[in-house]
Amino acid sequence: MKFNIAVLPGDGIGPEITQQSVKVLKAVADRFDHEFNFEEAVVGAAAIDQLGDPLPESTLELCKNSDAVLFGAIGDPKYDNDPSAKVRPEQGLLRLRKELGLFANIRPVRAYESLLHKSPLKPENIEGADMVIFRELTGGIYFGKKSTAEDGRSASDLCTYSVEEIERVAHLAFKAAEDRRKKLTLVDKANVLETSRLWRKTVTEIARQYPEVKVDYLFVDNAAMQMILNPKQFDVILTENMFGDIISDEASVIGGSIGLLESASVGTKNALFEPIHGSYPQAAGKGIANPVASVLSTAMLLDHLGLKKEAETVRMAVELSIKLNVCTNDINTDNHYSTERVGDFLESVISDTEGHIVNNENLNLGQMTII
């Protein structure tokens, strides 16, 4: 099968982690007889530096005409530290989401048995944790009208939601819950916010269409606490844009590293796949960035294209790398591997059509010894 993939490396560590994902996709193509056509484009700070626009029209058109978008990272400290900047890298990503109609962000979170000790949470609290967070992505306060008083002493951000915006992401979350453990948790702030009350009313009505799914409701402050105290209680979480942004980042501590968490942003026609971590500019070019979140995002990309077996092969390669401790410094502090070496390992495992186990003893010598 033939697919066109738009590759947007972005800023910071984005280019080096995306390079490993492309490497993995090429290995998948070779093993399963597919053809992936990759075309790169600039976005974020890199695009501002080159073209003065965080999302050039050429980049947007490439994404619209591709089967999927593989995204790296976005952001640069020179904009973070300048509150007066009118053009920012993040504007490119927000506009891209809006233009592509990517209304739902999907973030799986799991606790890996061999990495329980890496989490700051108690192992007994997180062992077996496995959830998916559905975050509405193109509405709410991030996209509402924004204003600052002329004297600069007050500002406002408008949070608005429609029933239609809530329904379309809610249906995706309920369908996912039907295929999992049949439990959905709506996270809102319905005791204070009118938009949250609309979310709760709409989700309650939709729930009648999914009688096998148990629904419960948590205020966002309690949900943030429960994520630390007892994350195993969650199966599918559904929430609005800003709450989802915060809750999903908090959930990253369960896996032991934010460098392990993938995500998909989907709409009716387009889909974008990216790691949830930021651009981490301090690590750019040093070979220490963890590529696993990007590679797992690639597995979600393969799922989206209907290549389920290929996606599972990528996930099995990642699980083997974690089991054998072929990991970057955030996971393996004693004998860590570079970004590129982890990518090389994953590529080799995927290319191993005989299904042999890689002999980790010789990896330091740069040898892939098959037993």
Side-chain angles (χ1 to χ4, degrees):
M1 300 181 70
K2 182 177 180 180
F3 301 96
N4 296 318
I5 310 297
V7 181
L8 277 55
D11 308 321
I13 62 173
E16 51 201 293
I17 59 169
T18 304
Q19 184 180 29
Q20 309 315 311
S21 291
V22 169
K23 187 186 298 181
V24 162
L25 281 173
K26 288 180 178 178
V28 167
D30 289 341
R31 176 168 175 172
F32 293 95
D33 196 25
H34 299 307
E35 182 180 346
F36 295 116
N37 295 322
F38 302 99
E39 187 172 346
E40 284 196 14
V42 292
V43 71
I48 295 174
D49 292 344
Q50 292 184 34
L51 302 169
D53 185 346
L55 181 62
E57 284 301 318
S58 57
T59 299
L60 179 58
E61 285 305 308
L62 172 65
C63 294
K64 286 181 176 180
N65 295 315
S66 299
D67 295 303
V69 180
L70 180 61
F71 195 92
I74 204 166
D76 190 292
K78 67 184 177 184
Y79 298 98
D80 296 340
N81 300 327
D82 182 7
S84 65
K86 300 298 182 184
V87 179
R88 297 177 177 278
E90 292 78 12
Q91 292 170 348
L93 181 56
L94 291 176
R95 184 177 163 225
L96 184 61
R97 289 170 177 168
K98 198 74 171 179
E99 291 283 351
L100 296 182
L102 307 178
F103 61 83
N105 181 252
I106 307 166
R107 297 187 177 186
V109 179
R110 70 189 68 82
Y112 291 94
E113 187 71 26
S114 59
L115 296 180
L116 295 178
H117 66 287
K118 298 296 295 186
S119 173
L121 305 180
K122 294 179 179 179
E124 60 269 26
N125 287 356
I126 62 173
E127 186 176 12
D130 180 2
M131 72 188 79
V132 180
I133 301 172
F134 280 76
R135 165 191 170 193
E136 198 289 323
L137 203 56
T138 56
I141 200 167
Y142 287 179
F143 287 91
K145 182 180 179 181
K146 306 176 189 308
S147 65
T148 301
E150 291 184 3
D151 62 5
R153 296 183 63 83
S154 64
S156 65
D157 297 277
L158 181 64
C159 183
T160 304
Y161 269 109
S162 68
V163 169
E164 292 73 21
E165 287 175 313
I166 299 168
E167 285 179 335
R168 60 188 183 181
V169 66
H171 280 295
L172 290 181
F174 272 102
K175 289 173 183 176
E178 283 186 318
D179 293 335
R180 289 173 53 88
R181 301 195 304 276
K182 304 185 187 307
K183 180 182 179 184
L184 183 144
T185 301
L186 176 66
V187 173
D188 61 27
K189 193 63 176 171
N191 58 335
V192 176
L193 302 177
E194 284 294 338
T195 49
S196 282
R197 284 190 273 273
L198 181 63
W199 269 85
R200 188 167 291 206
K201 177 177 180 291
T202 303
V203 169
T204 300
E205 292 173 352
I206 291 175
R208 300 189 185 104
Q209 302 176 38
Y210 301 90
E212 294 184 357
V213 177
K214 178 184 177 183
V215 180
D216 62 0
Y217 306 88
L218 287 179
F219 295 144
V220 65
D221 41 359
N222 186 21
M225 179 175 66
Q226 294 300 322
M227 186 66 72
I228 300 301
L229 295 178
N230 182 23
K232 289 185 285 188
Q233 70 182 280
F234 297 116
D235 180 19
V236 172
I237 293 176
L238 170 63
T239 190
E240 61 105 75
N241 204 341
M242 184 169 69
F243 296 162
D245 189 7
I246 297 167
I247 287 289
S248 58
D249 279 2
E250 180 193 16
S252 69
V253 302
I254 294 171
S257 171
I258 199 170
L260 297 174
L261 293 187
E262 71 272 34
S263 80
S265 299
V266 302
T268 54
K269 295 182 179 179
N270 302 104
L272 178 148
F273 304 86
E274 62 176 318
I276 79 162
H277 59 68
S279 59
Y280 193 15
Q282 303 91 334
K286 297 181 180 178
I288 61 174
N290 191 340
V292 166
S294 181
V295 170
L296 288 174
S297 298
T298 300
M300 296 185 79
L301 183 154
L302 293 168
D303 277 329
H304 171 73
L305 297 178
L307 306 178
K308 304 297 183 182
K309 184 177 181 180
E310 292 85 339
E312 187 58 28
T313 299
V314 172
R315 294 189 178 100
M316 289 175 62
V318 168
E319 289 177 5
L320 181 61
S321 74
I322 292 173
K323 180 180 179 180
L324 297 180
N325 214 14
V326 183
C327 305
T328 47
N329 186 61
D330 55 316
I331 300 297
N332 182 355
T333 55
D334 297 325
N335 186 27
H336 61 269
Y337 296 80
S338 68
T339 306
E340 185 173 5
R341 290 287 298 282
V342 173
D344 289 343
F345 176 83
L346 296 172
E347 177 189 32
S348 297
V349 173
I350 292 168
S351 299
D352 174 22
T353 57
E354 299 300 320
H356 296 298
I357 299 175
V358 177
N359 181 2
N360 187 45
E361 184 178 348
N362 290 315
L363 286 179
N364 286 330
L365 302 177
Q367 301 171 352
M368 303 300 291
T369 303
I370 304 299
I371 301 175

XYZ file of all heavy atoms in Angstrom, residues 337 341 362-369:
83
model
N 21.655 5.007 26.069
C 21.899 5.025 24.633
C 21.480 6.373 24.064
O 20.597 7.041 24.607
C 21.104 3.896 23.960
C 21.543 2.518 24.382
C 21.106 1.975 25.590
C 22.405 1.762 23.607
C 21.513 0.716 26.008
C 22.813 0.489 24.002
C 22.369 -0.015 25.208
O 22.766 -1.259 25.624
N 20.855 5.771 18.581
C 21.065 4.356 18.861
C 19.754 3.661 19.227
O 19.525 2.506 18.842
C 22.079 4.188 20.005
C 23.507 4.557 19.645
C 24.156 3.516 18.734
N 24.248 2.214 19.379
C 25.162 1.875 20.287
N 26.082 2.756 20.669
N 25.180 0.669 20.797
N 25.749 -7.553 23.358
C 26.665 -7.016 22.362
C 26.264 -5.658 21.810
O 26.918 -5.143 20.914
C 26.782 -7.999 21.195
C 27.525 -9.262 21.592
O 28.554 -9.182 22.246
N 26.973 -10.415 21.235
N 25.189 -5.059 22.365
C 24.725 -3.789 21.815
C 25.748 -2.676 21.995
O 25.872 -1.800 21.162
C 23.397 -3.384 22.476
C 22.179 -4.187 22.035
C 20.948 -3.690 22.786
C 21.941 -4.050 20.547
N 26.501 -2.709 23.091
C 27.494 -1.673 23.305
C 28.592 -1.699 22.258
O 29.284 -0.725 22.049
C 28.123 -1.808 24.709
C 27.160 -1.357 25.799
O 26.336 -0.482 25.566
N 27.281 -1.955 26.960
N 28.737 -2.849 21.623
C 29.741 -2.958 20.574
C 29.188 -2.595 19.212
O 29.870 -2.702 18.201
C 30.288 -4.396 20.534
C 30.913 -4.900 21.827
C 31.348 -6.364 21.658
C 32.111 -4.047 22.231
N 27.916 -2.168 19.224
C 27.283 -1.792 17.975
C 26.882 -2.974 17.140
O 26.682 -2.864 15.930
N 26.771 -4.161 17.761
C 26.417 -5.368 17.029
C 24.997 -5.796 17.384
O 24.602 -5.764 18.516
C 27.383 -6.512 17.389
C 28.843 -6.181 17.086
C 29.767 -7.237 17.667
O 29.334 -8.104 18.403
N 31.035 -7.149 17.340
N 24.244 -6.178 16.382
C 22.913 -6.709 16.599
C 22.990 -8.225 16.477
O 22.845 -8.775 15.398
C 21.936 -6.129 15.577
C 21.874 -4.610 15.603
S 21.344 -3.967 17.200
C 19.656 -4.506 17.207
N 23.308 -8.906 17.552
C 23.495 -10.343 17.530
C 22.169 -11.059 17.729
O 21.484 -10.826 18.720
C 24.473 -10.768 18.637
O 25.697 -10.059 18.461
C 24.744 -12.260 18.588
